Structure formats: C-alpha cells, structure tokens
Amino acid sequence: MGILQKFYALISKGPPADPNQPVELIVVSGPSGPMTLATLREHGFTATGHETYNVLSRTTTNFRILVPRHEVERASELLNTIL
C-alpha cells in the first residue's frame, strides 16, 4: 500500500453514510416550493419539504426540499431540466 492509499484510508475512516438519510437537495423561493416538491414526488422521488422561517423579518421566505441520499443525483438531474 502506497503513501497515498494510506492517506485516503486514514481520512475515510468512519461509518458509511446511510443511503436513506434525508439530505438537502435545494432551497427555493417560498411560492415555488410546494410545486417543485409535487413535481419531484410525481417522478417517484420520496421528497419532503418545509418552509424556512426568517427570524429577522419574521416571515417564511424559502422552501427547503430534502430527499434520501441515494436519490440526490437523479433528483438533481431532474431539477436541472425543470428549473
């Protein structure tokens, strides 16, 4: 094992990532969030979403969309085509 492989083995220690763990896919403006979420669900993704609250302005301004880790790549490709 070379020095580069030893270095990679050292920094990659730890438990493997859970493929079903929800990760943030995108944050969109509030009004378009539910529509984007519905589009993802229509295409078979198990997406969830919620409004984000801005403490300073005391309003909901954005919409955060999450998908399971194993769906991120395909969902990103879909978002690139629809947004």
Side-chain angles (χ1 to χ4, degrees):
M1 180 181 284
I3 196 163
L4 191 58
Q5 288 83 9
K6 286 183 182 181
F7 176 72
Y8 286 144
L10 178 68
I11 63 172
S12 66
K13 295 286 184 190
D18 181 13
N20 294 319
Q21 175 187 13
V23 293
E24 182 178 286
L25 176 64
I26 192 170
V27 176
V28 294
S29 64
S32 65
M35 188 170 37
T36 306
L37 182 62
T39 302
L40 285 168
R41 288 180 177 170
E42 286 173 3
H43 284 86
F45 295 100
T46 52
T48 59
H50 59 86
E51 295 176 334
T52 59
Y53 184 74
N54 187 330
V55 177
L56 296 176
S57 65
R58 297 181 183 170
T59 60
T60 56
T61 55
N62 293 326
F63 198 87
R64 185 174 178 226
I65 298 177
L66 301 118
V67 295
R69 185 179 300 277
H70 69 275
E71 294 180 353
V72 169
E73 187 175 336
R74 290 185 312 119
S76 294
E77 291 172 3
L78 176 63
L79 285 179
N80 287 336
T81 62
I82 63 173
L83 294 179

Short mmCIF file of all heavy atoms in Angstrom, two decimals, residues 9-59:
data_model
loop_
_atom_site.label_atom_id
_atom_site.label_comp_id
_atom_site.label_asym_id
_atom_site.label_seq_id
_atom_site.Cartn_x
_atom_site.Cartn_y
_atom_site.Cartn_z
N ALA A 9 -7.04 6.02 3.23
CA ALA A 9 -7.62 5.12 4.23
C ALA A 9 -7.76 5.82 5.57
O ALA A 9 -8.74 5.62 6.30
CB ALA A 9 -6.76 3.87 4.36
N LEU A 10 -6.81 6.68 5.90
CA LEU A 10 -6.84 7.40 7.16
C LEU A 10 -7.99 8.41 7.21
O LEU A 10 -8.72 8.50 8.18
CB LEU A 10 -5.51 8.12 7.40
CG LEU A 10 -5.40 8.95 8.66
CD1 LEU A 10 -5.43 8.05 9.89
CD2 LEU A 10 -4.15 9.79 8.64
N ILE A 11 -8.18 9.16 6.13
CA ILE A 11 -9.22 10.19 6.15
C ILE A 11 -10.61 9.65 5.87
O ILE A 11 -11.59 10.34 6.12
CB ILE A 11 -8.90 11.34 5.16
CG1 ILE A 11 -8.88 10.85 3.72
CG2 ILE A 11 -7.62 12.04 5.53
CD1 ILE A 11 -8.76 11.94 2.70
N SER A 12 -10.72 8.45 5.38
CA SER A 12 -12.05 7.90 5.07
C SER A 12 -12.58 7.00 6.19
O SER A 12 -13.58 6.33 6.01
CB SER A 12 -12.01 7.12 3.77
OG SER A 12 -11.21 5.97 3.90
N LYS A 13 -11.94 6.98 7.33
CA LYS A 13 -12.42 6.18 8.45
C LYS A 13 -13.76 6.71 8.93
O LYS A 13 -14.05 7.88 8.86
CB LYS A 13 -11.44 6.21 9.61
CG LYS A 13 -10.11 5.56 9.32
CD LYS A 13 -10.22 4.08 9.30
CE LYS A 13 -8.85 3.49 9.09
NZ LYS A 13 -8.86 2.11 8.84
N GLY A 14 -14.56 5.83 9.44
CA GLY A 14 -15.86 6.22 9.97
C GLY A 14 -16.94 5.34 9.39
O GLY A 14 -16.73 4.59 8.44
N PRO A 15 -18.11 5.43 9.98
CA PRO A 15 -19.20 4.59 9.48
C PRO A 15 -19.65 5.05 8.10
O PRO A 15 -19.59 6.24 7.79
CB PRO A 15 -20.31 4.82 10.52
CG PRO A 15 -20.00 6.15 11.12
CD PRO A 15 -18.51 6.28 11.07
N PRO A 16 -20.09 4.13 7.28
CA PRO A 16 -20.59 4.52 5.96
C PRO A 16 -21.87 5.35 6.10
O PRO A 16 -22.62 5.21 7.05
CB PRO A 16 -20.86 3.19 5.26
CG PRO A 16 -20.99 2.20 6.35
CD PRO A 16 -20.17 2.70 7.50
N ALA A 17 -22.08 6.22 5.15
CA ALA A 17 -23.27 7.09 5.17
C ALA A 17 -24.52 6.26 4.92
O ALA A 17 -24.52 5.33 4.11
CB ALA A 17 -23.14 8.16 4.11
N ASP A 18 -25.58 6.59 5.63
CA ASP A 18 -26.86 5.92 5.47
C ASP A 18 -27.50 6.39 4.17
O ASP A 18 -27.75 7.58 3.99
CB ASP A 18 -27.77 6.27 6.65
CG ASP A 18 -29.12 5.59 6.58
OD1 ASP A 18 -29.29 4.67 5.76
OD2 ASP A 18 -30.00 6.00 7.35
N PRO A 19 -27.78 5.48 3.22
CA PRO A 19 -28.36 5.91 1.94
C PRO A 19 -29.78 6.44 2.07
O PRO A 19 -30.27 7.13 1.18
CB PRO A 19 -28.32 4.64 1.08
CG PRO A 19 -28.22 3.52 2.05
CD PRO A 19 -27.54 4.06 3.27
N ASN A 20 -30.46 6.16 3.17
CA ASN A 20 -31.83 6.65 3.35
C ASN A 20 -31.89 7.93 4.18
O ASN A 20 -32.98 8.43 4.45
CB ASN A 20 -32.69 5.57 4.01
CG ASN A 20 -32.88 4.39 3.10
OD1 ASN A 20 -33.07 4.54 1.90
ND2 ASN A 20 -32.78 3.19 3.65
N GLN A 21 -30.75 8.44 4.58
CA GLN A 21 -30.72 9.67 5.36
C GLN A 21 -31.16 10.85 4.48
O GLN A 21 -30.67 11.02 3.37
CB GLN A 21 -29.30 9.92 5.86
CG GLN A 21 -29.14 11.23 6.59
CD GLN A 21 -27.69 11.50 6.93
OE1 GLN A 21 -26.77 10.86 6.43
NE2 GLN A 21 -27.49 12.47 7.79
N PRO A 22 -32.11 11.65 4.96
CA PRO A 22 -32.54 12.80 4.16
C PRO A 22 -31.46 13.88 4.12
O PRO A 22 -30.87 14.21 5.15
CB PRO A 22 -33.79 13.31 4.86
CG PRO A 22 -33.85 12.63 6.17
CD PRO A 22 -32.89 11.51 6.17
N VAL A 23 -31.18 14.37 2.92
CA VAL A 23 -30.21 15.44 2.75
C VAL A 23 -30.87 16.57 1.95
O VAL A 23 -31.80 16.34 1.17
CB VAL A 23 -28.93 14.97 2.03
CG1 VAL A 23 -28.15 14.00 2.89
CG2 VAL A 23 -29.23 14.36 0.69
N GLU A 24 -30.38 17.77 2.15
CA GLU A 24 -30.95 18.92 1.47
C GLU A 24 -30.60 18.87 -0.01
O GLU A 24 -29.44 18.78 -0.39
CB GLU A 24 -30.39 20.20 2.09
CG GLU A 24 -30.97 21.45 1.50
CD GLU A 24 -30.43 22.68 2.18
OE1 GLU A 24 -30.86 22.95 3.32
OE2 GLU A 24 -29.58 23.35 1.58
N LEU A 25 -31.61 18.94 -0.82
CA LEU A 25 -31.43 18.94 -2.27
C LEU A 25 -31.33 20.37 -2.79
O LEU A 25 -30.42 20.71 -3.54
CB LEU A 25 -32.58 18.20 -2.95
CG LEU A 25 -32.57 18.18 -4.47
CD1 LEU A 25 -31.35 17.44 -4.99
CD2 LEU A 25 -33.84 17.56 -4.99
N ILE A 26 -32.27 21.21 -2.37
CA ILE A 26 -32.32 22.57 -2.86
C ILE A 26 -33.16 23.42 -1.93
O ILE A 26 -34.03 22.91 -1.23
CB ILE A 26 -32.88 22.61 -4.31
CG1 ILE A 26 -32.67 23.97 -4.95
CG2 ILE A 26 -34.34 22.21 -4.33
CD1 ILE A 26 -32.98 24.00 -6.44
N VAL A 27 -32.90 24.71 -1.94
CA VAL A 27 -33.73 25.68 -1.24
C VAL A 27 -34.26 26.62 -2.32
O VAL A 27 -33.49 27.24 -3.04
CB VAL A 27 -32.94 26.48 -0.19
CG1 VAL A 27 -33.82 27.54 0.45
CG2 VAL A 27 -32.39 25.55 0.88
N VAL A 28 -35.59 26.67 -2.46
CA VAL A 28 -36.22 27.50 -3.48
C VAL A 28 -37.06 28.58 -2.81
O VAL A 28 -37.32 28.52 -1.61
CB VAL A 28 -37.10 26.66 -4.44
CG1 VAL A 28 -36.25 25.70 -5.26
CG2 VAL A 28 -38.15 25.89 -3.69
N SER A 29 -37.50 29.53 -3.59
CA SER A 29 -38.35 30.58 -3.02
C SER A 29 -39.66 29.97 -2.55
O SER A 29 -40.14 28.98 -3.10
CB SER A 29 -38.60 31.68 -4.05
OG SER A 29 -39.30 31.16 -5.14
N GLY A 30 -40.23 30.57 -1.53
CA GLY A 30 -41.42 30.04 -0.88
C GLY A 30 -42.55 29.64 -1.79
O GLY A 30 -43.06 28.52 -1.71
N PRO A 31 -43.01 30.51 -2.69
CA PRO A 31 -44.16 30.16 -3.52
C PRO A 31 -43.93 28.99 -4.48
O PRO A 31 -44.85 28.25 -4.79
CB PRO A 31 -44.43 31.44 -4.30
CG PRO A 31 -43.82 32.53 -3.50
CD PRO A 31 -42.64 31.92 -2.82
N SER A 32 -42.70 28.81 -4.95
CA SER A 32 -42.45 27.72 -5.90
C SER A 32 -42.09 26.41 -5.21
O SER A 32 -41.96 25.38 -5.87
CB SER A 32 -41.35 28.11 -6.89
OG SER A 32 -40.13 28.29 -6.22
N GLY A 33 -41.91 26.42 -3.90
CA GLY A 33 -41.52 25.21 -3.18
C GLY A 33 -42.48 24.06 -3.26
O GLY A 33 -42.10 22.95 -3.65
N PRO A 34 -43.77 24.26 -2.92
CA PRO A 34 -44.71 23.15 -2.99
C PRO A 34 -44.87 22.58 -4.40
O PRO A 34 -45.02 21.37 -4.58
CB PRO A 34 -46.02 23.76 -2.50
CG PRO A 34 -45.58 24.88 -1.61
CD PRO A 34 -44.34 25.43 -2.26
N MET A 35 -44.77 23.44 -5.41
CA MET A 35 -44.90 22.97 -6.79
C MET A 35 -43.68 22.12 -7.18
O MET A 35 -43.82 21.07 -7.81
CB MET A 35 -45.02 24.16 -7.73
CG MET A 35 -45.34 23.77 -9.14
SD MET A 35 -45.77 25.17 -10.21
CE MET A 35 -44.72 26.47 -9.68
N THR A 36 -42.50 22.55 -6.77
CA THR A 36 -41.29 21.77 -7.04
C THR A 36 -41.32 20.45 -6.30
O THR A 36 -40.97 19.40 -6.86
CB THR A 36 -40.04 22.58 -6.63
OG1 THR A 36 -40.06 23.85 -7.26
CG2 THR A 36 -38.77 21.86 -7.00
N LEU A 37 -41.78 20.46 -5.08
CA LEU A 37 -41.91 19.24 -4.29
C LEU A 37 -42.89 18.27 -4.94
O LEU A 37 -42.61 17.08 -5.05
CB LEU A 37 -42.36 19.59 -2.87
CG LEU A 37 -42.50 18.44 -1.88
CD1 LEU A 37 -41.15 17.76 -1.65
CD2 LEU A 37 -43.07 18.95 -0.58
N ALA A 38 -44.02 18.78 -5.40
CA ALA A 38 -45.01 17.93 -6.06
C ALA A 38 -44.45 17.31 -7.34
O ALA A 38 -44.70 16.14 -7.64
CB ALA A 38 -46.26 18.74 -6.38
N THR A 39 -43.66 18.08 -8.09
CA THR A 39 -43.06 17.56 -9.32
C THR A 39 -42.09 16.43 -9.01
O THR A 39 -42.08 15.40 -9.71
CB THR A 39 -42.33 18.69 -10.07
OG1 THR A 39 -43.26 19.72 -10.37
CG2 THR A 39 -41.72 18.17 -11.36
N LEU A 40 -41.29 16.60 -7.97
CA LEU A 40 -40.37 15.53 -7.58
C LEU A 40 -41.13 14.27 -7.18
O LEU A 40 -40.76 13.16 -7.57
CB LEU A 40 -39.47 15.99 -6.43
CG LEU A 40 -38.36 16.97 -6.80
CD1 LEU A 40 -37.75 17.58 -5.55
CD2 LEU A 40 -37.29 16.27 -7.62
N ARG A 41 -42.19 14.44 -6.42
CA ARG A 41 -42.98 13.28 -5.99
C ARG A 41 -43.67 12.60 -7.18
O ARG A 41 -43.78 11.38 -7.21
CB ARG A 41 -44.02 13.71 -4.96
CG ARG A 41 -43.39 14.03 -3.62
CD ARG A 41 -44.41 14.45 -2.62
NE ARG A 41 -43.81 14.68 -1.32
CZ ARG A 41 -44.44 15.24 -0.31
NH1 ARG A 41 -45.71 15.62 -0.45
NH2 ARG A 41 -43.83 15.42 0.84
N GLU A 42 -44.12 13.37 -8.15
CA GLU A 42 -44.75 12.79 -9.35
C GLU A 42 -43.77 11.92 -10.13
O GLU A 42 -44.17 10.97 -10.79
CB GLU A 42 -45.27 13.89 -10.27
CG GLU A 42 -46.52 14.56 -9.78
CD GLU A 42 -46.91 15.75 -10.64
OE1 GLU A 42 -46.23 16.02 -11.65
OE2 GLU A 42 -47.89 16.42 -10.29
N HIS A 43 -42.49 12.25 -10.05
CA HIS A 43 -41.47 11.48 -10.75
C HIS A 43 -40.91 10.34 -9.90
O HIS A 43 -39.90 9.73 -10.24
CB HIS A 43 -40.34 12.40 -11.21
CG HIS A 43 -40.69 13.21 -12.41
ND1 HIS A 43 -41.34 14.42 -12.31
CD2 HIS A 43 -40.51 12.98 -13.73
CE1 HIS A 43 -41.53 14.91 -13.52
NE2 HIS A 43 -41.04 14.05 -14.40
N GLY A 44 -41.54 10.04 -8.77
CA GLY A 44 -41.19 8.88 -7.98
C GLY A 44 -40.19 9.10 -6.87
O GLY A 44 -39.74 8.13 -6.25
N PHE A 45 -39.82 10.32 -6.59
CA PHE A 45 -38.88 10.59 -5.50
C PHE A 45 -39.63 10.68 -4.17
O PHE A 45 -40.76 11.14 -4.13
CB PHE A 45 -38.11 11.90 -5.75
CG PHE A 45 -37.23 11.84 -6.96
CD1 PHE A 45 -37.64 12.39 -8.16
CD2 PHE A 45 -35.99 11.23 -6.91
CE1 PHE A 45 -36.84 12.34 -9.28
CE2 PHE A 45 -35.19 11.17 -8.02
CZ PHE A 45 -35.61 11.72 -9.21
N THR A 46 -38.98 10.28 -3.11
CA THR A 46 -39.57 10.39 -1.78
C THR A 46 -39.09 11.68 -1.13
O THR A 46 -38.37 11.68 -0.15
CB THR A 46 -39.22 9.17 -0.91
OG1 THR A 46 -37.80 9.00 -0.93
CG2 THR A 46 -39.90 7.92 -1.39
N ALA A 47 -39.48 12.77 -1.72
CA ALA A 47 -39.04 14.09 -1.27
C ALA A 47 -39.94 14.62 -0.17
O ALA A 47 -41.13 14.34 -0.13
CB ALA A 47 -39.04 15.06 -2.45
N THR A 48 -39.33 15.37 0.73
CA THR A 48 -40.08 16.08 1.77
C THR A 48 -39.63 17.53 1.73
O THR A 48 -38.57 17.85 1.19
CB THR A 48 -39.79 15.50 3.16
OG1 THR A 48 -38.39 15.59 3.43
CG2 THR A 48 -40.26 14.07 3.27
N GLY A 49 -40.44 18.38 2.31
CA GLY A 49 -40.07 19.79 2.30
C GLY A 49 -40.76 20.55 3.41
O GLY A 49 -41.76 20.10 3.96
N HIS A 50 -40.21 21.69 3.72
CA HIS A 50 -40.83 22.56 4.72
C HIS A 50 -40.37 23.99 4.48
O HIS A 50 -39.33 24.25 3.88
CB HIS A 50 -40.50 22.11 6.14
CG HIS A 50 -39.02 22.08 6.44
ND1 HIS A 50 -38.34 23.18 6.87
CD2 HIS A 50 -38.12 21.09 6.35
CE1 HIS A 50 -37.08 22.87 7.04
NE2 HIS A 50 -36.91 21.59 6.74
N GLU A 51 -41.18 24.91 4.96
CA GLU A 51 -40.85 26.32 4.83
C GLU A 51 -39.77 26.69 5.84
O GLU A 51 -39.74 26.16 6.95
CB GLU A 51 -42.09 27.19 5.09
CG GLU A 51 -43.17 27.00 4.05
CD GLU A 51 -44.42 27.80 4.38
OE1 GLU A 51 -44.65 28.09 5.56
OE2 GLU A 51 -45.15 28.13 3.44
N THR A 52 -38.91 27.59 5.44
CA THR A 52 -37.90 28.09 6.37
C THR A 52 -38.37 29.44 6.90
O THR A 52 -39.02 30.21 6.20
CB THR A 52 -36.53 28.26 5.69
OG1 THR A 52 -36.65 29.17 4.60
CG2 THR A 52 -36.01 26.93 5.19
N TYR A 53 -38.05 29.69 8.12
CA TYR A 53 -38.51 30.89 8.80
C TYR A 53 -37.36 31.86 8.97
O TYR A 53 -36.31 31.51 9.50
CB TYR A 53 -39.10 30.52 10.17
CG TYR A 53 -39.69 31.67 10.93
CD1 TYR A 53 -40.91 32.21 10.55
CD2 TYR A 53 -39.05 32.23 12.01
CE1 TYR A 53 -41.46 33.27 11.24
CE2 TYR A 53 -39.59 33.28 12.71
CZ TYR A 53 -40.80 33.80 12.33
OH TYR A 53 -41.35 34.86 13.00
N ASN A 54 -37.53 33.08 8.51
CA ASN A 54 -36.52 34.12 8.67
C ASN A 54 -36.78 34.85 9.98
O ASN A 54 -37.81 35.53 10.12
CB ASN A 54 -36.57 35.08 7.48
CG ASN A 54 -35.44 36.08 7.50
OD1 ASN A 54 -34.94 36.45 8.54
ND2 ASN A 54 -35.04 36.50 6.31
N VAL A 55 -35.87 34.73 10.91
CA VAL A 55 -36.06 35.31 12.24
C VAL A 55 -36.07 36.84 12.19
O VAL A 55 -36.84 37.49 12.89
CB VAL A 55 -34.94 34.81 13.20
CG1 VAL A 55 -35.08 35.45 14.56
CG2 VAL A 55 -34.98 33.31 13.31
N LEU A 56 -35.26 37.42 11.33
CA LEU A 56 -35.17 38.87 11.27
C LEU A 56 -36.43 39.52 10.70
O LEU A 56 -36.94 40.50 11.24
CB LEU A 56 -33.95 39.31 10.46
CG LEU A 56 -32.61 38.91 11.06
CD1 LEU A 56 -31.48 39.30 10.12
CD2 LEU A 56 -32.41 39.54 12.42
N SER A 57 -36.93 38.97 9.61
CA SER A 57 -38.13 39.57 9.00
C SER A 57 -39.42 38.94 9.52
O SER A 57 -40.51 39.40 9.18
CB SER A 57 -38.07 39.43 7.48
OG SER A 57 -38.12 38.06 7.12
N ARG A 58 -39.29 37.88 10.32
CA ARG A 58 -40.44 37.17 10.90
C ARG A 58 -41.43 36.68 9.83
O ARG A 58 -42.63 36.78 9.98
CB ARG A 58 -41.16 38.05 11.91
CG ARG A 58 -40.31 38.39 13.09
CD ARG A 58 -41.05 39.22 14.08
NE ARG A 58 -40.15 39.57 15.16
CZ ARG A 58 -40.44 40.45 16.09
NH1 ARG A 58 -41.59 41.06 16.08
NH2 ARG A 58 -39.57 40.72 17.02
N THR A 59 -40.87 36.17 8.77
CA THR A 59 -41.70 35.63 7.69
C THR A 59 -41.10 34.32 7.20
O THR A 59 -39.94 34.02 7.43
CB THR A 59 -41.77 36.61 6.49
OG1 THR A 59 -40.44 36.82 6.00
CG2 THR A 59 -42.41 37.91 6.87
#
